[in-house]
Amino acid sequence: MQISVLPLGALETNCYVVADEQSRACAVIDPGDSGAQVAKAIEGLGLRLEAILLTHGHFDHVGGVRALHQAAGGRVYLSEKDLGQPEQMTAGPLFYTDLCGEGDAISVGALTFRVLETPGHTPGSVCLLCGGALFSGDTLFQGSCGRTDFPGGSAEAMYASLRRLAELEGDYRVYPGHGGETSLDVERRYNPYLREAVRR
């Protein structure tokens, strides 16, 4: 598995290009607001886009979806539970081809992404597990977690989602929607929000 990160836009949203090195098929996780830039990066890496996976529907994560889809193809996966988000948070109607939810497995070449529903930042926030990687969107950050004061956010749901991540078996490399990567074991030990979630 080859993982490339592209920090995009004013909010430096992390877009991840995750490739199966043998088949050269790839998935893009959260193309930010820069679909054309992501399409160019995929072409430069010699990859073929099969799936665009959205951790949630906020504009800084999904603004570039339509342009990327038009330029490079790929099916677009979004949680149905984010379809009710107000358009000021999504920058207009959300674009997708497929809805995904808890336990779904999305195949890209030899890679499989497993969907975990982790509401709190938005009702339809998801994390994606692939091998030893956890793509956590705006649920879990290095030393922090996503805001819950936007429309549809819930502190109670966030703590439940963080507790669920803390209780996953084993360690994962964590690739968040903003900021640097980390590991689940490090966050279990030092992240005050994750520690509080476990205590509840």
Side-chain angles (χ1 to χ4, degrees):
M1 179 168 59
Q2 171 187 324
I3 302 174
S4 305
V5 58
L6 306 170
L8 301 172
L11 297 179
E12 294 195 328
T13 301
N14 288 331
C15 167
Y16 297 101
V17 180
V18 187
D20 170 22
E21 293 169 282
Q22 286 194 321
S23 70
R24 307 307 293 167
C26 75
V28 165
I29 298 172
D30 292 347
D33 59 2
S34 311
Q37 182 180 341
V38 176
K40 197 171 294 185
I42 292 169
E43 183 180 5
L45 291 167
L47 302 174
R48 181 183 74 260
L49 181 61
E50 288 195 357
I52 302 168
L53 309 176
L54 305 176
T55 62
H56 63 292
H58 282 168
F59 67 91
D60 58 316
H61 292 254
V62 305
V65 170
R66 190 182 295 272
L68 176 58
H69 177 72
Q70 289 173 345
R75 305 196 69 77
V76 181
Y77 294 86
L78 173 74
S79 169
E80 182 175 14
K81 294 177 181 177
D82 260 5
L83 294 181
Q85 287 286 294
E87 289 193 3
Q88 69 264 31
M89 298 304 300
T90 63
L94 288 165
F95 176 80
Y96 62 95
T97 63
D98 295 77
L99 296 172
C100 64
E102 177 65 31
D104 285 351
I106 300 167
S107 296
V108 175
L111 304 177
T112 300
F113 295 85
R114 185 160 61 92
V115 178
L116 301 180
E117 293 186 349
T118 52
H121 183 62
T122 70
S125 287
V126 302
C127 293
L128 300 159
L129 288 175
C130 184
L134 170 63
F135 299 94
S136 60
D138 284 6
T139 298
L140 177 64
F141 300 136
Q142 185 180 51
S144 188
C145 68
R147 292 175 59 171
T148 60
D149 57 339
F150 292 131
S154 165
E156 183 179 352
M158 176 63 81
Y159 277 119
S161 293
L162 292 174
R163 184 166 58 251
R164 182 181 190 194
L165 295 182
E167 293 173 351
L168 289 172
E169 289 187 12
D171 192 18
Y172 288 88
R173 198 71 198 157
V174 177
Y175 297 91
H178 301 273
E181 64 183 76
T182 181
S183 75
L184 193 53
D185 273 352
V186 166
E187 298 311 304
R188 287 173 176 136
R189 184 173 298 181
Y190 299 114
N191 187 313
Y193 299 94
L194 206 64
R195 290 167 60 88
E196 173 64 21
V198 171
R199 283 195 293 267
R200 285 177 171 238

